[in-house]
Amino acid sequence: MASKVKAAGDAIEKEPIDYSILAVSVLGVTYNAILAFINHNIMPLTSTAVVASEILILAYSFGYILKKGLYEEDIVPLGYLLATVALTVYVMVINKAGYIDHLRNVLIIFAFTVLGRWSNERTLRLAFKICCLAVLAALLCEIISTPAYVALFHPAEYFQNTRGVPPATYSDSGLFRGALGFEGRFSFGLIDHRSSSIFLEQVSLANFCGVMVIYLVSFANRITLFDRLIFMATIVLILVTNDTRTMLIFTIVSVAGYVIYPLIPKIFSFLMMPAIVMVGFIIHAFKPNARDDDFVGRISGTVRNIIAMDLPATMGLELDKATTFVDSGYVYITYGATIFGLILFWLFVSFYPAGQTPNQKRLCHSLSLFMFLNLMIGSTAIFSMKTAGLGWLLVGFLKFNEGATARIRGSTTQSERTPAGTAVS
């Protein structure tokens, strides 16, 4: 058994690193920190630099995918993307207004899912490890010396220049105002603010923690003990300094899920969203007036917003209200992409990830819990390239590189594809 594990490890180490996929994956996580450094030390930036950076990363990803070719394996994510394009055009035409937020989210899902299919294991593992080490290094700097961290990135200045968010009037720390927290908020009290690391704001770091948990749950038996320790240390450090209630709950559930998820049929991923929404309605029934910025308050607020939706809203006729629901993901998607956009996202998250092997089941169940729980208390963060990219890269990889699909891929070369792998472009 040990010799087989060693042989498998040696084979992975001999795989060529795909530097295109590696660069896209790492830049997708780190570009904000790079821009922040440029903003203070080289030249002031505007929101154009942020948009251009993301467009360039996506454009390069699509160029890579088109060069490789689209195959039958890509039909589902491609169909999801094209359906979203149609919904986006409909919403913009009916409202006579430009709005591509949800399309941009699905572009990220499509690009990284297909890139994951093309990635080999060595490239995937290296991408996760580099990103984890970058986050850990910046996080340690932030914890040990917040002034040094601010001197390196100047988060408040960066968000003022690129997002129009003014610094907090009650603090001159130089941190992003959202990371300062407030009195009475849940906290372990280890630092005097919510940690942000290379993301410069607290929400993306929390969601990065969730993606690392998904990676460990579904990939721990394919990485070395040393790597597992690095990822676990990073996760714990984020949890105790970022003060994220949602990811703390998600992590605790995922520890048990490592054992339980392989025993659960894949259909439970599909049932996850209605179950979470139902629990939300039950919480709201007990706390109908909860409005504090805490876990119960966020959930109750989302349920109130769901109840307040009317038929025109579900059909995308009230687009102007979409951006007012940044803490109510289900409502945010519905206003911006109609109820059909929400249904498509639900179906894709539930059914696209494979569910044959134990690792695939761990991934599909933890991914559904991560996505649908987050939509109860937030919206845009789970779609951000800074966190979503790596998650969907893992989905694409595990779907086609483990279990029966991996054996099929291993038995044929690229030039000897079966009809199921025939190019469609």
Side-chain angles (χ1 to χ4, degrees):
M1 184 66 176
S3 61
K4 288 183 179 180
V5 173
K6 185 179 185 300
D10 291 341
I12 291 169
E13 289 304 315
K14 292 177 181 178
E15 291 178 338
I17 297 173
D18 191 319
Y19 288 100
S20 292
I21 294 178
L22 182 64
V24 166
S25 303
V26 174
L27 285 173
V29 173
T30 60
Y31 77 91
N32 229 34
I34 295 171
L35 291 179
F37 182 84
I38 294 173
N39 175 72
H40 181 80
N41 296 284
I42 300 177
M43 59 181 290
L45 300 177
T46 65
S47 60
T48 303
V50 181
V51 174
S53 297
E54 193 164 299
I55 289 175
L56 285 173
I57 293 172
L58 279 176
Y60 187 84
S61 302
F62 274 76
Y64 177 95
I65 291 168
L66 291 175
K67 183 180 178 180
K68 288 287 190 179
L70 292 171
Y71 291 85
E72 189 171 332
E73 294 95 330
D74 306 316
I75 286 178
V76 173
L78 180 61
Y80 180 34
L81 176 59
L82 294 177
T84 304
V85 170
L87 285 173
T88 301
V89 172
Y90 158 76
V91 169
M92 289 195 298
V93 169
I94 205 74
N95 288 277
K96 298 179 181 179
Y99 184 84
I100 59 170
D101 275 24
H102 189 67
L103 175 59
R104 166 239 184 208
N105 297 337
V106 178
L107 283 170
I108 292 170
I109 293 173
F110 171 83
F112 281 90
T113 298
V114 178
L115 287 176
R117 182 174 75 78
W118 285 109
S119 177
N120 59 45
E121 184 165 339
R122 186 182 180 194
T123 302
L124 180 90
R125 285 164 56 171
L126 189 57
F128 271 86
K129 188 172 181 178
I130 291 173
C131 292
C132 181
L133 289 173
V135 169
L136 179 59
L139 182 58
L140 286 172
C141 176
E142 182 181 1
I143 294 169
I144 295 170
S145 175
T146 302
Y149 169 78
V150 172
L152 187 62
F153 297 115
H154 292 269
E157 177 188 324
Y158 174 68
F159 281 104
Q160 182 175 30
N161 289 354
T162 62
R163 309 302 202 282
V165 180
T169 56
Y170 51 88
S171 173
D172 59 358
S173 66
L175 294 167
F176 173 59
R177 63 187 302 158
L180 297 174
F182 52 86
E183 187 177 354
R185 192 192 191 284
F186 166 78
S187 174
F188 286 98
L190 297 182
I191 55 176
D192 62 357
H193 64 279
R194 297 185 64 191
S195 58
S196 304
S197 187
I198 61 172
F199 304 106
L200 314 181
E201 46 83 14
Q202 73 289 354
V203 178
S204 290
L205 180 60
N207 282 284
F208 178 82
C209 175
V211 172
M212 292 301 100
V213 170
I214 293 173
Y215 178 66
L216 267 187
V217 166
S218 58
F219 220 73
N221 58 359
R222 295 181 67 154
I223 60 177
T224 65
L225 174 61
F226 180 70
D227 284 357
R228 289 198 293 270
L229 291 175
I230 290 175
F231 284 105
M232 286 190 289
T234 304
I235 289 168
V236 171
L237 203 57
I238 293 173
L239 289 175
V240 298
T241 59
N242 183 265
D243 302 331
T244 166
R245 300 152 297 195
T246 308
M247 287 306 103
L248 180 61
I249 294 170
F250 175 70
T251 302
I252 293 171
V253 173
S254 295
V255 172
Y258 184 85
V259 177
I260 298 171
Y261 287 152
L263 308 176
I264 302 175
K266 191 172 185 293
I267 191 65
F268 276 77
S269 288
F270 172 71
L271 300 175
M272 191 82 72
M273 189 181 92
I276 288 174
V277 172
M278 186 180 299
V279 171
F281 271 84
I282 293 173
I283 292 174
H284 174 70
F286 284 98
K287 297 280 187 177
N289 298 315
R291 298 179 185 275
D292 294 333
D293 186 19
D294 55 21
F295 195 69
V296 173
R298 289 281 189 93
I299 290 175
S300 186
T302 293
V303 173
R304 282 195 298 271
N305 291 330
I306 291 174
I307 294 172
M309 279 195 298
D310 53 17
L311 183 60
T314 63
M315 298 306 295
L317 300 177
E318 298 177 5
L319 178 62
D320 58 308
K321 298 180 181 179
T323 55
T324 64
F325 297 106
V326 293
D327 291 332
S328 302
Y330 293 106
V331 182
Y332 162 77
I333 296 176
T334 303
Y335 272 88
T338 78
I339 188 66
F340 302 108
L342 177 61
I343 291 172
L344 282 173
F345 179 70
W346 174 29
L347 294 177
F348 188 80
V349 172
S350 301
F351 291 118
Y352 182 74
Q356 299 173 333
T357 70
N359 279 347
Q360 288 172 342
K361 286 185 176 181
R362 291 182 181 112
L363 174 62
C364 70
H365 294 314
S366 59
L367 180 72
S368 291
L369 179 60
F370 174 77
M371 292 292 182
F372 301 135
L373 178 61
N374 261 296
L375 287 180
M376 288 299 297
I377 51 90
S379 59
T380 57
I382 61 168
F383 296 110
S384 170
M385 185 185 293
K386 294 175 287 184
T387 54
L390 284 180
W392 291 110
L393 190 77
L394 180 62
V395 170
F397 176 85
L398 270 185
K399 183 176 179 69
F400 294 102
N401 290 277
E402 189 170 278
T405 49
R407 289 193 291 274
I408 292 172
R409 284 165 63 91
S411 64
T412 59
T413 65
Q414 181 66 37
S415 61
E416 296 171 335
R417 279 184 172 273
T418 62
T422 304
V424 298
S425 63

